Amino acid sequence: MYNPASTVATEFIDHDEILNTIEYAREKACDTGYIRSLIEKSKECKGLSHQEAASLLECTDEECIKLIFETAREIKARFYGNRIVMFAPLYLSNYCVNGCVYCPYHLKNRTIPRRKLTQEEIRREVIALQDMGHKRLALEAGEDPRHNPIEYILESIETIYNTHHKNGSIRRVNVNIAATTVENYRRLHEAKIGTYILFQETYHKANYEALHPTGPKSDYAWHTEAMDRAMEGGIDDVGLGVLYGLNTYLYDFIGILMHAEHLEARFGVGPHTISVPRICPADDISKEDFPDAISDDLFCHIVAVLRLAVPYTGLIVSTRESPATRARVLDLGISQLSGGSKTSVGGYADNDAEAEESSQFDISDRRTLDQVVEWLLDTGHIPSFCTACYRQGRTGDRFMSLVKSGNIANCCAPNAIMTLKEYLEDYASPAVKAKGEKLIASELSALSNPRVIEIATRNLELISKGNRDFRF
């Protein structure tokens, strides 16, 4: 139940500890011997403490930064290989009762067109996404108990899962909605969602309250403790994130690692994903109003150190970032990308200027999904549409145990190949299909497990013959 007097959040996000860590990191950042020892420690792939990671992030020695980046690439390759999971956001409604000063959905914004999709409109959006080739969505909605109650969210999830068009189907619905009760998280779990995602925005309590002056989201404890309630409700895959630029980067970087440490200590499993969005312009929101916005170089540094600190956690970068920036962070730790995204309500099916006016933020990477897939193929990556772990119950501690042991590759590699094959057969342009087939042949020959090779080869043949009931 709602507990506005809770102090749990300020216990695991300890303000004084963060300030002490900042001081410690700035002192240690100049000790290249210590920094190199942390880099060596990270190669054990057991993670780093928030103090150790902060020290790496504050390091300015060029040679040490180069080593950090090289190690991030090695760790990324060890856990995720060259696979990149693809997804797209689906905005259901931009009605919102909160007063967040950095989001155009805020209650006082009278210029943005307000819209909420009907179930029929949701079906149209899903079909448009299926026709692009997407299998995994991140459901988004503003917080509004009257327009967007939990019943609406649950009905929408059911609609998404039950919408089938040609060979298309959405196999995993991740959910990014406002903090709610244990009972509502239990209902989301029963609706078979994938990951529950909630961005903290900033962990600095005083700044958080200034940035969220009105609405339910203004309660720091209620928002920060949401992941605890989600896990109590049975959701074992949760996704964290801060919006870099709202507050000083180092404070929030330390905060998100302390949050991950708390989840690991209390529930035995850390965050399934960590997202790294940066403040960007939208409607009545200007980036110039946020002096703590971070540079591209610092953004890359953050991604690389996150990969060293939480080596088995998925790292997500969205179309907020430009193609050039997404290319820079691709090998530094990123394992999930959005593609062909629309951040407006009804943007996929309508695809017009009026729908675009309801966007939550401006998109920097406007390439189509097929163009993103081609870019990934050209850089030697496997665009993966796999949802096998979710469908087979490999979530929470079961997923993490497979990742930490290194055995996840036996599942992920063949599934990535098979779902790429499915995309190539059903959605790809001829040029992309030719490139994809070449990569699949190369990846298949690189598999070493005879049983895995047998299953993958059989299923690739089934896919070529039009069968979509192959084993994931």
Side-chain angles (χ1 to χ4, degrees), residues 2-71:
Y2 176 61
N3 180 12
S6 175
T7 60
V8 174
T10 52
E11 291 170 4
F12 67 81
I13 305 297
D14 186 319
H15 176 68
D16 289 336
E17 170 60 16
I18 294 179
L19 295 183
N20 289 337
T21 298
I22 291 173
E23 183 178 351
Y24 175 88
R26 288 173 176 167
E27 177 185 334
K28 289 291 191 179
C30 299
D31 185 344
T32 56
Y34 175 67
I35 294 298
R36 287 173 181 269
S37 73
L38 293 182
I39 296 171
E40 286 302 310
K41 179 181 178 180
S42 73
K43 293 179 182 180
E44 299 173 8
C45 295
K46 295 180 181 179
L48 299 173
S49 71
H50 60 271
Q51 279 193 334
E52 293 168 334
S55 300
L56 291 183
L57 186 55
E58 283 299 275
C59 176
T60 57
D61 181 83
E62 291 185 6
E63 287 302 314
C64 287
I65 293 175
K66 182 178 178 181
L67 285 175
I68 290 170
F69 283 19
E70 289 175 355
T71 305

Side-chain angles (χ1 to χ4, degrees), residues 185-258:
Y185 285 125
R186 189 172 291 116
R187 296 171 73 182
L188 288 169
H189 176 61
E190 291 169 354
K192 302 187 184 303
I193 71 165
T195 304
Y196 173 67
I197 304 161
L198 185 67
F199 294 169
Q200 179 63 28
E201 318 301 5
T202 177
Y203 284 95
H204 191 288
K205 186 173 184 292
N207 285 354
Y208 178 94
E209 291 170 348
L211 290 161
H212 306 89
T214 59
K217 194 172 179 177
S218 64
D219 189 318
Y220 177 85
W222 179 250
H223 188 82
T224 310
E225 296 165 20
M227 293 309 184
D228 290 59
R229 296 193 301 278
M231 287 193 165
E232 289 169 15
I235 299 174
D236 52 6
D237 279 357
V238 299
L240 303 180
V242 294
L243 185 53
Y244 285 102
L246 294 184
N247 188 57
T248 55
Y249 70 89
L250 188 55
Y251 191 104
D252 283 336
F253 176 85
I254 296 167
I256 205 168
L257 290 182
M258 290 176 72

Side-chain angles (χ1 to χ4, degrees), residues 281-320:
D283 197 66
D284 67 339
I285 307 300
S286 172
K287 183 178 176 181
E288 303 307 315
D289 294 333
F290 297 91
D292 290 318
I294 62 175
S295 68
D296 289 349
D297 287 345
L298 180 54
F299 181 67
C300 292
H301 199 163
I302 288 170
V303 171
V305 178
L306 280 174
R307 178 50 67 205
L308 271 60
V310 280
Y312 34 78
T313 295
L315 297 183
I316 301 175
V317 67
S318 75
T319 51
R320 283 176 179 264

Side-chain angles (χ1 to χ4, degrees), residues 87-94 105 115 117-130 132 134 136-142 152-153 155-161 163 170 172-177 197 338-350 358 360-361:
F87 75 97
L90 172 58
Y91 282 75
L92 301 183
S93 170
N94 63 1
Y105 289 3
R115 184 179 179 187
L117 298 180
T118 66
Q119 296 306 308
E120 180 54 38
E121 288 172 328
I122 291 171
R123 277 188 280 272
R124 289 177 56 217
E125 289 286 280
V126 171
I127 287 171
L129 283 156
Q130 290 170 350
M132 292 165 61
H134 278 295
R136 176 189 303 238
L137 302 183
L139 183 153
E140 314 267 355
Y152 171 68
I153 301 299
E155 183 183 8
S156 300
I157 293 169
E158 183 177 8
T159 296
I160 293 167
Y161 277 137
T163 299
I170 301 303
R172 179 177 178 128
V173 178
N174 298 334
V175 174
N176 184 355
I177 62 169
I197 304 161
S338 52
S341 301
K342 300 288 185 179
T343 65
S344 51
V345 180
Y348 295 105
D350 295 345
S358 67
Q360 188 184 33
F361 59 84

